[in-house]
Amino acid sequence: MNLSKKTQIFYGLGVSYAIVDQIFAQWILYFYLPTESSGLKPIMAPIFISIALAISRIVDMITDPTVGYISDKINTRWGRRIPFIAVGSIPLGLATVAFFYPPVGNEIVTFIYLAVVGSLFFTFYTIVGAPYNALIPEIGKTMEERLDLSTWQSVFRLLYTAIAMIIPGQLIEMIGKGDPVFGIRGMVIILSIVASLGGYITVFGVSEKNYSKGETSKISFKETMKLIISDKNFIYYLFGLLFFFIGFNVLRATMNYYVEDIMGYGKKQITIASAILFGMSALFFYPTNKLSKKIGYRKVMLGCLGLLTIFTLMLFLLGKIIPVSFGFILFGLIGIPVAGGAFIFPPAMLSEISSRITAKTGNKIEGICFGIQGFFLKMAFMFSILILPLILVLGGTTGVATKYGIYGTALFSAISFMIAFFFYYKYKEN
């Protein structure tokens, strides 16, 4: 049975968990470790923030391959992947909101709270995200169908991420009316509801059993891991992905700091900067997609990483050699390679890799492939969130972000993109 356009769109709408992904990346650190001009108070020492979030990432690293492996092994009346999305979507939204209601007054209690909430957040994120991505090779039987599903996922991921970057500033001012804490909490609640509802569009809109035979993996976890580790191209892909997202996570997490502290604007201008970045991504989504079909993912990805390295180094020069008025143009330029590197390539490339491994071995192990990708994505988040607070306070003594530290994040991101370039250069598509 061929995939209908309606099914492809309903599948794409389910990537709404990208909203809470963006909330975590852009607002958690900003809420717990604010600047002096933000109107917020630091909640606890930077080192405690880093350790708490690192603990939650370690928990998450265990759940990623575990959830993927379990989804490869089970088969229900609703399919192998859909039940996980149904179970995890609401708890994921609740865990996101919980981040912004920490107990204050006792730093140890706050530390434990952040570690526990973070662990729950990433666990439910995996329960939703890994099976959702594994639906691509599960219901897409040809390269064309898998590419179409990846494309629709990328379209809606771009849309959801743009919403989560563009709308918050306006929601905070509208809801908070001068109270940034109340405004941020209201913004998070609204966006978390939207994120949860999107998951159920896929749950009720995609009839997995109509497209999948429900074949399960017959080999053990140890045997599965041996198959995956022996695939060199998969390893190169994973490490390229890791360093790309380390750089990208640091870059997008510091947008607020750049707009407010380097460029000297307010929270409304954060919205403008985000709109420019993702507007340019949207414009270059289709050309990137078409170019990839002609020359392959690898060459385009290498080009994206080259451009990101150049533009990130230019960000380091903003306010020094490059006038701050050029900042918005620079965010637009960054958006061009982000269209491919962050959105189009990860689901499309791994769908082909997992389908090739399945065809070669005769075992349906797409779930654990995407679970392992999730492991590397979370490892990228863990490393970036571990190092970012320490970079941001460089050169300061008051425990708040400094301009010296903000510039340091640009250099760090550029180095990460260079390392990613090396691994994708080693990756062979055929």
mmCIF file of all heavy atoms in Angstrom, residues 13 15-23 26-27 154-172 187-188 190-195 198 252 270-272 274-279 281-282 343:
data_model
loop_
_atom_site.group_PDB
_atom_site.id
_atom_site.type_symbol
_atom_site.label_atom_id
_atom_site.label_comp_id
_atom_site.label_asym_id
_atom_site.label_seq_id
_atom_site.Cartn_x
_atom_site.Cartn_y
_atom_site.Cartn_z
ATOM 1 N N LEU A 13 3.261 16.249 11.234
ATOM 2 C CA LEU A 13 2.707 17.057 12.317
ATOM 3 C C LEU A 13 3.088 16.520 13.693
ATOM 4 O O LEU A 13 3.083 17.264 14.680
ATOM 5 C CB LEU A 13 1.181 17.121 12.184
ATOM 6 C CG LEU A 13 0.646 18.065 11.097
ATOM 7 C CD1 LEU A 13 -0.812 17.757 10.786
ATOM 8 C CD2 LEU A 13 0.806 19.515 11.535
ATOM 9 N N VAL A 15 5.935 15.728 14.831
ATOM 10 C CA VAL A 15 7.257 16.121 15.312
ATOM 11 C C VAL A 15 7.175 17.357 16.208
ATOM 12 O O VAL A 15 8.174 18.043 16.449
ATOM 13 C CB VAL A 15 8.222 16.365 14.121
ATOM 14 C CG1 VAL A 15 7.952 17.716 13.462
ATOM 15 C CG2 VAL A 15 9.682 16.219 14.548
ATOM 16 N N SER A 16 6.006 17.600 16.753
ATOM 17 C CA SER A 16 5.772 18.762 17.619
ATOM 18 C C SER A 16 6.628 18.738 18.875
ATOM 19 O O SER A 16 6.770 19.766 19.544
ATOM 20 C CB SER A 16 4.294 18.842 18.006
ATOM 21 O OG SER A 16 3.863 17.631 18.597
ATOM 22 N N TYR A 17 7.212 17.585 19.227
ATOM 23 C CA TYR A 17 8.111 17.565 20.376
ATOM 24 C C TYR A 17 9.348 18.440 20.141
ATOM 25 O O TYR A 17 10.115 18.722 21.074
ATOM 26 C CB TYR A 17 8.518 16.130 20.738
ATOM 27 C CG TYR A 17 9.305 15.396 19.686
ATOM 28 C CD1 TYR A 17 10.681 15.502 19.614
ATOM 29 C CD2 TYR A 17 8.673 14.565 18.756
ATOM 30 C CE1 TYR A 17 11.413 14.832 18.653
ATOM 31 C CE2 TYR A 17 9.395 13.885 17.790
ATOM 32 C CZ TYR A 17 10.761 14.014 17.746
ATOM 33 O OH TYR A 17 11.480 13.345 16.786
ATOM 34 N N ALA A 18 9.531 18.890 18.905
ATOM 35 C CA ALA A 18 10.603 19.847 18.614
ATOM 36 C C ALA A 18 10.392 21.143 19.385
ATOM 37 O O ALA A 18 11.351 21.880 19.651
ATOM 38 C CB ALA A 18 10.660 20.137 17.111
ATOM 39 N N ILE A 19 9.151 21.435 19.752
ATOM 40 C CA ILE A 19 8.858 22.644 20.528
ATOM 41 C C ILE A 19 9.520 22.576 21.899
ATOM 42 O O ILE A 19 10.186 23.523 22.341
ATOM 43 C CB ILE A 19 7.335 22.843 20.668
ATOM 44 C CG1 ILE A 19 6.718 23.196 19.313
ATOM 45 C CG2 ILE A 19 7.021 23.935 21.703
ATOM 46 C CD1 ILE A 19 5.205 23.289 19.330
ATOM 47 N N VAL A 20 9.347 21.442 22.606
ATOM 48 C CA VAL A 20 9.950 21.344 23.935
ATOM 49 C C VAL A 20 11.463 21.193 23.837
ATOM 50 O O VAL A 20 12.195 21.591 24.755
ATOM 51 C CB VAL A 20 9.329 20.181 24.750
ATOM 52 C CG1 VAL A 20 7.845 20.417 24.956
ATOM 53 C CG2 VAL A 20 9.565 18.823 24.103
ATOM 54 N N ASP A 21 11.943 20.645 22.742
ATOM 55 C CA ASP A 21 13.373 20.594 22.477
ATOM 56 C C ASP A 21 13.941 22.005 22.450
ATOM 57 O O ASP A 21 14.963 22.307 23.072
ATOM 58 C CB ASP A 21 13.602 19.878 21.142
ATOM 59 C CG ASP A 21 15.075 19.771 20.776
ATOM 60 O OD1 ASP A 21 15.923 19.882 21.681
ATOM 61 O OD2 ASP A 21 15.373 19.559 19.597
ATOM 62 N N GLN A 22 13.246 22.892 21.741
ATOM 63 C CA GLN A 22 13.706 24.274 21.631
ATOM 64 C C GLN A 22 13.567 25.021 22.953
ATOM 65 O O GLN A 22 14.416 25.851 23.309
ATOM 66 C CB GLN A 22 12.915 24.999 20.533
ATOM 67 C CG GLN A 22 13.366 26.422 20.282
ATOM 68 C CD GLN A 22 14.820 26.504 19.854
ATOM 69 O OE1 GLN A 22 15.307 25.645 19.135
ATOM 70 N NE2 GLN A 22 15.519 27.529 20.318
ATOM 71 N N ILE A 23 12.503 24.739 23.700
ATOM 72 C CA ILE A 23 12.341 25.364 25.015
ATOM 73 C C ILE A 23 13.520 25.005 25.910
ATOM 74 O O ILE A 23 14.095 25.864 26.590
ATOM 75 C CB ILE A 23 11.012 24.929 25.672
ATOM 76 C CG1 ILE A 23 9.823 25.568 24.946
ATOM 77 C CG2 ILE A 23 10.987 25.318 27.159
ATOM 78 C CD1 ILE A 23 8.473 25.068 25.403
ATOM 79 N N GLN A 26 16.811 26.782 24.600
ATOM 80 C CA GLN A 26 16.890 28.243 24.616
ATOM 81 C C GLN A 26 16.528 28.879 25.955
ATOM 82 O O GLN A 26 17.020 29.964 26.267
ATOM 83 C CB GLN A 26 15.988 28.825 23.526
ATOM 84 C CG GLN A 26 16.213 30.306 23.275
ATOM 85 C CD GLN A 26 15.493 30.789 22.028
ATOM 86 O OE1 GLN A 26 14.839 30.025 21.336
ATOM 87 N NE2 GLN A 26 15.591 32.074 21.753
ATOM 88 N N TRP A 27 15.697 28.212 26.765
ATOM 89 C CA TRP A 27 15.153 28.885 27.935
ATOM 90 C C TRP A 27 15.544 28.294 29.282
ATOM 91 O O TRP A 27 15.480 28.997 30.300
ATOM 92 C CB TRP A 27 13.623 28.960 27.833
ATOM 93 C CG TRP A 27 13.200 29.860 26.723
ATOM 94 C CD1 TRP A 27 12.782 29.510 25.467
ATOM 95 C CD2 TRP A 27 13.193 31.293 26.749
ATOM 96 N NE1 TRP A 27 12.511 30.619 24.712
ATOM 97 C CE2 TRP A 27 12.748 31.733 25.466
ATOM 98 C CE3 TRP A 27 13.502 32.241 27.714
ATOM 99 C CZ2 TRP A 27 12.623 33.076 25.158
ATOM 100 C CZ3 TRP A 27 13.382 33.585 27.405
ATOM 101 C CH2 TRP A 27 12.940 33.996 26.136
ATOM 102 N N SER A 154 10.851 17.282 8.295
ATOM 103 C CA SER A 154 11.729 18.452 8.317
ATOM 104 C C SER A 154 10.939 19.746 8.188
ATOM 105 O O SER A 154 11.244 20.740 8.846
ATOM 106 C CB SER A 154 12.764 18.341 7.196
ATOM 107 O OG SER A 154 13.568 17.194 7.361
ATOM 108 N N VAL A 155 9.921 19.732 7.324
ATOM 109 C CA VAL A 155 9.077 20.924 7.147
ATOM 110 C C VAL A 155 8.431 21.321 8.478
ATOM 111 O O VAL A 155 8.494 22.482 8.904
ATOM 112 C CB VAL A 155 7.997 20.671 6.079
ATOM 113 C CG1 VAL A 155 6.934 21.772 6.105
ATOM 114 C CG2 VAL A 155 8.618 20.572 4.699
ATOM 115 N N PHE A 156 7.815 20.337 9.141
ATOM 116 C CA PHE A 156 7.103 20.659 10.374
ATOM 117 C C PHE A 156 8.062 20.878 11.549
ATOM 118 O O PHE A 156 7.756 21.664 12.451
ATOM 119 C CB PHE A 156 6.069 19.577 10.693
ATOM 120 C CG PHE A 156 4.851 19.660 9.823
ATOM 121 C CD1 PHE A 156 4.642 18.758 8.787
ATOM 122 C CD2 PHE A 156 3.920 20.672 10.009
ATOM 123 C CE1 PHE A 156 3.525 18.845 7.968
ATOM 124 C CE2 PHE A 156 2.800 20.769 9.195
ATOM 125 C CZ PHE A 156 2.603 19.858 8.178
ATOM 126 N N ARG A 157 9.205 20.194 11.546
ATOM 127 C CA ARG A 157 10.200 20.479 12.586
ATOM 128 C C ARG A 157 10.670 21.920 12.475
ATOM 129 O O ARG A 157 10.822 22.623 13.478
ATOM 130 C CB ARG A 157 11.397 19.526 12.468
ATOM 131 C CG ARG A 157 12.444 19.755 13.550
ATOM 132 C CD ARG A 157 13.637 18.824 13.369
ATOM 133 N NE ARG A 157 13.307 17.451 13.666
ATOM 134 C CZ ARG A 157 13.326 16.934 14.898
ATOM 135 N NH1 ARG A 157 13.649 17.697 15.922
ATOM 136 N NH2 ARG A 157 13.032 15.668 15.093
ATOM 137 N N LEU A 158 10.904 22.363 11.251
ATOM 138 C CA LEU A 158 11.297 23.750 11.014
ATOM 139 C C LEU A 158 10.212 24.694 11.497
ATOM 140 O O LEU A 158 10.480 25.689 12.180
ATOM 141 C CB LEU A 158 11.565 23.963 9.527
ATOM 142 C CG LEU A 158 11.954 25.374 9.088
ATOM 143 C CD1 LEU A 158 13.293 25.759 9.687
ATOM 144 C CD2 LEU A 158 12.017 25.456 7.573
ATOM 145 N N LEU A 159 8.952 24.373 11.171
ATOM 146 C CA LEU A 159 7.831 25.223 11.576
ATOM 147 C C LEU A 159 7.691 25.269 13.096
ATOM 148 O O LEU A 159 7.567 26.348 13.688
ATOM 149 C CB LEU A 159 6.540 24.695 10.948
ATOM 150 C CG LEU A 159 5.243 25.448 11.307
ATOM 151 C CD1 LEU A 159 5.319 26.889 10.856
ATOM 152 C CD2 LEU A 159 4.036 24.741 10.694
ATOM 153 N N TYR A 160 7.713 24.104 13.726
ATOM 154 C CA TYR A 160 7.567 24.047 15.182
ATOM 155 C C TYR A 160 8.731 24.749 15.890
ATOM 156 O O TYR A 160 8.535 25.471 16.874
ATOM 157 C CB TYR A 160 7.494 22.591 15.657
ATOM 158 C CG TYR A 160 6.185 21.901 15.383
ATOM 159 C CD1 TYR A 160 6.156 20.634 14.793
ATOM 160 C CD2 TYR A 160 4.968 22.482 15.750
ATOM 161 C CE1 TYR A 160 4.952 19.975 14.565
ATOM 162 C CE2 TYR A 160 3.764 21.829 15.513
ATOM 163 C CZ TYR A 160 3.762 20.574 14.918
ATOM 164 O OH TYR A 160 2.572 19.923 14.696
ATOM 165 N N THR A 161 9.944 24.526 15.393
ATOM 166 C CA THR A 161 11.102 25.167 16.015
ATOM 167 C C THR A 161 11.035 26.669 15.841
ATOM 168 O O THR A 161 11.366 27.432 16.765
ATOM 169 C CB THR A 161 12.409 24.618 15.414
ATOM 170 O OG1 THR A 161 12.436 23.195 15.548
ATOM 171 C CG2 THR A 161 13.623 25.199 16.117
ATOM 172 N N ALA A 162 10.606 27.110 14.656
ATOM 173 C CA ALA A 162 10.451 28.546 14.418
ATOM 174 C C ALA A 162 9.414 29.146 15.365
ATOM 175 O O ALA A 162 9.619 30.216 15.937
ATOM 176 C CB ALA A 162 10.054 28.784 12.963
ATOM 177 N N ILE A 163 8.296 28.442 15.541
ATOM 178 C CA ILE A 163 7.267 28.906 16.473
ATOM 179 C C ILE A 163 7.845 29.043 17.878
ATOM 180 O O ILE A 163 7.615 30.032 18.578
ATOM 181 C CB ILE A 163 6.065 27.937 16.478
ATOM 182 C CG1 ILE A 163 5.276 28.063 15.169
ATOM 183 C CG2 ILE A 163 5.141 28.199 17.671
ATOM 184 C CD1 ILE A 163 4.206 26.996 14.994
ATOM 185 N N ALA A 164 8.616 28.026 18.297
ATOM 186 C CA ALA A 164 9.176 28.009 19.644
ATOM 187 C C ALA A 164 10.271 29.047 19.842
ATOM 188 O O ALA A 164 10.626 29.366 20.978
ATOM 189 C CB ALA A 164 9.722 26.622 19.965
ATOM 190 N N MET A 165 10.815 29.580 18.745
ATOM 191 C CA MET A 165 11.825 30.631 18.848
ATOM 192 C C MET A 165 11.244 32.022 18.635
ATOM 193 O O MET A 165 11.701 32.990 19.237
ATOM 194 C CB MET A 165 12.948 30.386 17.831
ATOM 195 C CG MET A 165 13.788 29.164 18.116
ATOM 196 S SD MET A 165 15.275 29.062 17.075
ATOM 197 C CE MET A 165 16.305 30.309 17.847
ATOM 198 N N ILE A 166 10.209 32.113 17.790
ATOM 199 C CA ILE A 166 9.668 33.420 17.419
ATOM 200 C C ILE A 166 8.610 33.913 18.402
ATOM 201 O O ILE A 166 8.591 35.084 18.783
ATOM 202 C CB ILE A 166 9.087 33.370 15.989
ATOM 203 C CG1 ILE A 166 10.210 33.117 14.981
ATOM 204 C CG2 ILE A 166 8.335 34.642 15.654
ATOM 205 C CD1 ILE A 166 9.731 32.783 13.588
ATOM 206 N N ILE A 167 7.725 33.015 18.841
ATOM 207 C CA ILE A 167 6.586 33.416 19.668
ATOM 208 C C ILE A 167 6.931 33.721 21.131
ATOM 209 O O ILE A 167 6.309 34.596 21.734
ATOM 210 C CB ILE A 167 5.476 32.333 19.595
ATOM 211 C CG1 ILE A 167 4.840 32.352 18.201
ATOM 212 C CG2 ILE A 167 4.416 32.528 20.661
ATOM 213 C CD1 ILE A 167 3.743 31.330 18.026
ATOM 214 N N PRO A 168 7.898 33.017 21.762
ATOM 215 C CA PRO A 168 8.129 33.204 23.189
ATOM 216 C C PRO A 168 8.291 34.645 23.658
ATOM 217 O O PRO A 168 7.710 35.035 24.680
ATOM 218 C CB PRO A 168 9.402 32.391 23.443
ATOM 219 C CG PRO A 168 9.304 31.272 22.478
ATOM 220 C CD PRO A 168 8.727 31.915 21.238
ATOM 221 N N GLY A 169 9.084 35.439 22.949
ATOM 222 C CA GLY A 169 9.292 36.818 23.374
ATOM 223 C C GLY A 169 7.998 37.591 23.490
ATOM 224 O O GLY A 169 7.771 38.338 24.461
ATOM 225 N N GLN A 170 7.105 37.424 22.501
ATOM 226 C CA GLN A 170 5.824 38.117 22.521
ATOM 227 C C GLN A 170 4.925 37.585 23.623
ATOM 228 O O GLN A 170 4.241 38.346 24.317
ATOM 229 C CB GLN A 170 5.145 37.972 21.154
ATOM 230 C CG GLN A 170 5.924 38.636 20.024
ATOM 231 C CD GLN A 170 5.317 38.349 18.652
ATOM 232 O OE1 GLN A 170 4.632 37.353 18.475
ATOM 233 N NE2 GLN A 170 5.596 39.233 17.703
ATOM 234 N N LEU A 171 4.914 36.239 23.800
ATOM 235 C CA LEU A 171 4.084 35.642 24.846
ATOM 236 C C LEU A 171 4.538 36.085 26.237
ATOM 237 O O LEU A 171 3.706 36.367 27.118
ATOM 238 C CB LEU A 171 4.132 34.120 24.758
ATOM 239 C CG LEU A 171 3.355 33.457 23.621
ATOM 240 C CD1 LEU A 171 3.563 31.947 23.648
ATOM 241 C CD2 LEU A 171 1.871 33.777 23.725
ATOM 242 N N ILE A 172 5.844 36.153 26.450
ATOM 243 C CA ILE A 172 6.372 36.558 27.749
ATOM 244 C C ILE A 172 5.924 37.977 28.104
ATOM 245 O O ILE A 172 5.495 38.247 29.230
ATOM 246 C CB ILE A 172 7.914 36.450 27.764
ATOM 247 C CG1 ILE A 172 8.339 34.984 27.720
ATOM 248 C CG2 ILE A 172 8.500 37.126 29.002
ATOM 249 C CD1 ILE A 172 9.811 34.780 27.458
ATOM 250 N N MET A 187 4.322 31.210 28.984
ATOM 251 C CA MET A 187 4.770 30.856 27.632
ATOM 252 C C MET A 187 5.038 29.362 27.522
ATOM 253 O O MET A 187 4.616 28.695 26.571
ATOM 254 C CB MET A 187 6.032 31.651 27.290
ATOM 255 C CG MET A 187 6.680 31.307 25.966
ATOM 256 S SD MET A 187 7.957 29.985 26.086
ATOM 257 C CE MET A 187 9.231 30.808 27.049
ATOM 258 N N VAL A 188 5.733 28.804 28.507
ATOM 259 C CA VAL A 188 6.099 27.388 28.497
ATOM 260 C C VAL A 188 4.862 26.501 28.566
ATOM 261 O O VAL A 188 4.763 25.483 27.865
ATOM 262 C CB VAL A 188 7.068 27.065 29.644
ATOM 263 C CG1 VAL A 188 7.276 25.562 29.774
ATOM 264 C CG2 VAL A 188 8.406 27.760 29.419
ATOM 265 N N ILE A 190 1.763 27.152 27.518
ATOM 266 C CA ILE A 190 1.039 27.205 26.243
ATOM 267 C C ILE A 190 1.747 26.349 25.182
ATOM 268 O O ILE A 190 1.121 25.534 24.494
ATOM 269 C CB ILE A 190 0.908 28.661 25.762
ATOM 270 C CG1 ILE A 190 -0.070 29.420 26.667
ATOM 271 C CG2 ILE A 190 0.416 28.712 24.303
ATOM 272 C CD1 ILE A 190 -0.117 30.917 26.403
ATOM 273 N N LEU A 191 3.048 26.517 25.061
ATOM 274 C CA LEU A 191 3.784 25.790 24.033
ATOM 275 C C LEU A 191 3.866 24.291 24.340
ATOM 276 O O LEU A 191 3.876 23.465 23.424
ATOM 277 C CB LEU A 191 5.187 26.372 23.876
ATOM 278 C CG LEU A 191 5.261 27.784 23.283
ATOM 279 C CD1 LEU A 191 6.710 28.227 23.122
ATOM 280 C CD2 LEU A 191 4.542 27.875 21.943
ATOM 281 N N SER A 192 3.894 23.917 25.613
ATOM 282 C CA SER A 192 3.926 22.501 25.979
ATOM 283 C C SER A 192 2.610 21.802 25.621
ATOM 284 O O SER A 192 2.607 20.627 25.226
ATOM 285 C CB SER A 192 4.218 22.344 27.473
ATOM 286 O OG SER A 192 5.519 22.812 27.789
ATOM 287 N N ILE A 193 1.501 22.516 25.761
ATOM 288 C CA ILE A 193 0.204 21.966 25.363
ATOM 289 C C ILE A 193 0.176 21.706 23.855
ATOM 290 O O ILE A 193 -0.265 20.649 23.394
ATOM 291 C CB ILE A 193 -0.941 22.910 25.768
ATOM 292 C CG1 ILE A 193 -1.088 22.934 27.292
ATOM 293 C CG2 ILE A 193 -2.260 22.487 25.120
ATOM 294 C CD1 ILE A 193 -2.053 23.993 27.801
ATOM 295 N N VAL A 194 0.671 22.671 23.085
ATOM 296 C CA VAL A 194 0.731 22.509 21.631
ATOM 297 C C VAL A 194 1.604 21.309 21.261
ATOM 298 O O VAL A 194 1.249 20.508 20.386
ATOM 299 C CB VAL A 194 1.282 23.792 20.963
ATOM 300 C CG1 VAL A 194 1.480 23.581 19.463
ATOM 301 C CG2 VAL A 194 0.348 24.963 21.205
ATOM 302 N N ALA A 195 2.734 21.152 21.956
ATOM 303 C CA ALA A 195 3.645 20.044 21.676
ATOM 304 C C ALA A 195 2.978 18.695 21.934
ATOM 305 O O ALA A 195 3.126 17.753 21.149
ATOM 306 C CB ALA A 195 4.908 20.177 22.526
ATOM 307 N N GLY A 198 0.257 17.821 19.208
ATOM 308 C CA GLY A 198 0.816 17.420 17.923
ATOM 309 C C GLY A 198 1.131 15.936 17.854
ATOM 310 O O GLY A 198 0.942 15.291 16.818
ATOM 311 N N ARG A 252 22.592 28.078 19.277
ATOM 312 C CA ARG A 252 21.217 28.538 19.457
ATOM 313 C C ARG A 252 20.909 28.885 20.909
ATOM 314 O O ARG A 252 20.053 29.720 21.167
ATOM 315 C CB ARG A 252 20.236 27.497 18.928
ATOM 316 C CG ARG A 252 20.186 26.175 19.656
ATOM 317 C CD ARG A 252 19.088 25.307 19.074
ATOM 318 N NE ARG A 252 19.021 23.996 19.707
ATOM 319 C CZ ARG A 252 18.044 23.129 19.495
ATOM 320 N NH1 ARG A 252 17.046 23.447 18.679
ATOM 321 N NH2 ARG A 252 18.039 21.963 20.096
ATOM 322 N N ILE A 270 14.862 39.459 20.180
ATOM 323 C CA ILE A 270 15.185 38.029 20.146
ATOM 324 C C ILE A 270 14.244 37.337 19.173
ATOM 325 O O ILE A 270 14.640 36.473 18.387
ATOM 326 C CB ILE A 270 15.051 37.405 21.556
ATOM 327 C CG1 ILE A 270 16.127 37.965 22.485
ATOM 328 C CG2 ILE A 270 15.155 35.882 21.488
ATOM 329 C CD1 ILE A 270 15.998 37.494 23.926
ATOM 330 N N THR A 271 12.977 37.754 19.219
ATOM 331 C CA THR A 271 11.976 37.210 18.302
ATOM 332 C C THR A 271 12.339 37.520 16.856
ATOM 333 O O THR A 271 12.237 36.667 15.978
ATOM 334 C CB THR A 271 10.588 37.786 18.629
ATOM 335 O OG1 THR A 271 10.227 37.415 19.953
ATOM 336 C CG2 THR A 271 9.537 37.268 17.658
ATOM 337 N N ILE A 272 12.779 38.751 16.596
ATOM 338 C CA ILE A 272 13.150 39.149 15.239
ATOM 339 C C ILE A 272 14.340 38.333 14.735
ATOM 340 O O ILE A 272 14.339 37.838 13.603
ATOM 341 C CB ILE A 272 13.472 40.657 15.189
ATOM 342 C CG1 ILE A 272 12.208 41.481 15.476
ATOM 343 C CG2 ILE A 272 14.069 41.038 13.831
ATOM 344 C CD1 ILE A 272 12.462 42.968 15.621
ATOM 345 N N SER A 274 15.287 35.379 15.693
ATOM 346 C CA SER A 274 14.852 34.001 15.454
ATOM 347 C C SER A 274 14.058 33.898 14.159
ATOM 348 O O SER A 274 14.212 32.939 13.399
ATOM 349 C CB SER A 274 14.000 33.519 16.638
ATOM 350 O OG SER A 274 14.728 33.541 17.839
ATOM 351 N N ALA A 275 13.201 34.880 13.914
ATOM 352 C CA ALA A 275 12.390 34.868 12.694
ATOM 353 C C ALA A 275 13.265 34.957 11.450
ATOM 354 O O ALA A 275 13.018 34.279 10.448
ATOM 355 C CB ALA A 275 11.398 36.032 12.728
ATOM 356 N N ILE A 276 14.312 35.769 11.517
ATOM 357 C CA ILE A 276 15.224 35.909 10.381
ATOM 358 C C ILE A 276 15.968 34.596 10.130
ATOM 359 O O ILE A 276 16.057 34.118 8.995
ATOM 360 C CB ILE A 276 16.219 37.058 10.626
ATOM 361 C CG1 ILE A 276 15.485 38.402 10.594
ATOM 362 C CG2 ILE A 276 17.346 37.037 9.592
ATOM 363 C CD1 ILE A 276 16.342 39.586 11.022
ATOM 364 N N LEU A 277 16.498 34.002 11.205
ATOM 365 C CA LEU A 277 17.265 32.764 11.059
ATOM 366 C C LEU A 277 16.408 31.662 10.444
ATOM 367 O O LEU A 277 16.803 31.020 9.458
ATOM 368 C CB LEU A 277 17.812 32.333 12.419
ATOM 369 C CG LEU A 277 18.849 31.200 12.418
ATOM 370 C CD1 LEU A 277 19.783 31.314 13.627
ATOM 371 C CD2 LEU A 277 18.183 29.817 12.442
ATOM 372 N N PHE A 278 15.220 31.457 10.999
ATOM 373 C CA PHE A 278 14.402 30.353 10.511
ATOM 374 C C PHE A 278 13.646 30.717 9.232
ATOM 375 O O PHE A 278 13.251 29.823 8.478
ATOM 376 C CB PHE A 278 13.458 29.874 11.608
ATOM 377 C CG PHE A 278 14.164 29.013 12.618
ATOM 378 C CD1 PHE A 278 14.648 29.563 13.782
ATOM 379 C CD2 PHE A 278 14.402 27.677 12.362
ATOM 380 C CE1 PHE A 278 15.332 28.790 14.699
ATOM 381 C CE2 PHE A 278 15.089 26.889 13.266
ATOM 382 C CZ PHE A 278 15.555 27.444 14.443
ATOM 383 N N GLY A 279 13.475 31.992 8.986
ATOM 384 C CA GLY A 279 12.915 32.398 7.700
ATOM 385 C C GLY A 279 13.859 32.043 6.559
ATOM 386 O O GLY A 279 13.437 31.537 5.511
ATOM 387 N N SER A 281 16.127 29.691 6.731
ATOM 388 C CA SER A 281 16.122 28.227 6.647
ATOM 389 C C SER A 281 14.964 27.746 5.779
ATOM 390 O O SER A 281 15.118 26.855 4.948
ATOM 391 C CB SER A 281 16.002 27.621 8.054
ATOM 392 O OG SER A 281 17.200 27.770 8.772
ATOM 393 N N ALA A 282 13.805 28.358 5.984
ATOM 394 C CA ALA A 282 12.623 27.973 5.204
ATOM 395 C C ALA A 282 12.837 28.231 3.720
ATOM 396 O O ALA A 282 12.481 27.406 2.868
ATOM 397 C CB ALA A 282 11.400 28.742 5.706
ATOM 398 N N PHE A 343 17.924 20.004 9.889
ATOM 399 C CA PHE A 343 16.566 19.544 9.617
ATOM 400 C C PHE A 343 16.486 18.406 8.598
ATOM 401 O O PHE A 343 15.956 17.339 8.885
ATOM 402 C CB PHE A 343 15.703 20.725 9.145
ATOM 403 C CG PHE A 343 15.498 21.767 10.201
ATOM 404 C CD1 PHE A 343 16.201 22.956 10.169
ATOM 405 C CD2 PHE A 343 14.604 21.561 11.237
ATOM 406 C CE1 PHE A 343 16.018 23.922 11.150
ATOM 407 C CE2 PHE A 343 14.412 22.512 12.221
ATOM 408 C CZ PHE A 343 15.123 23.696 12.178
#
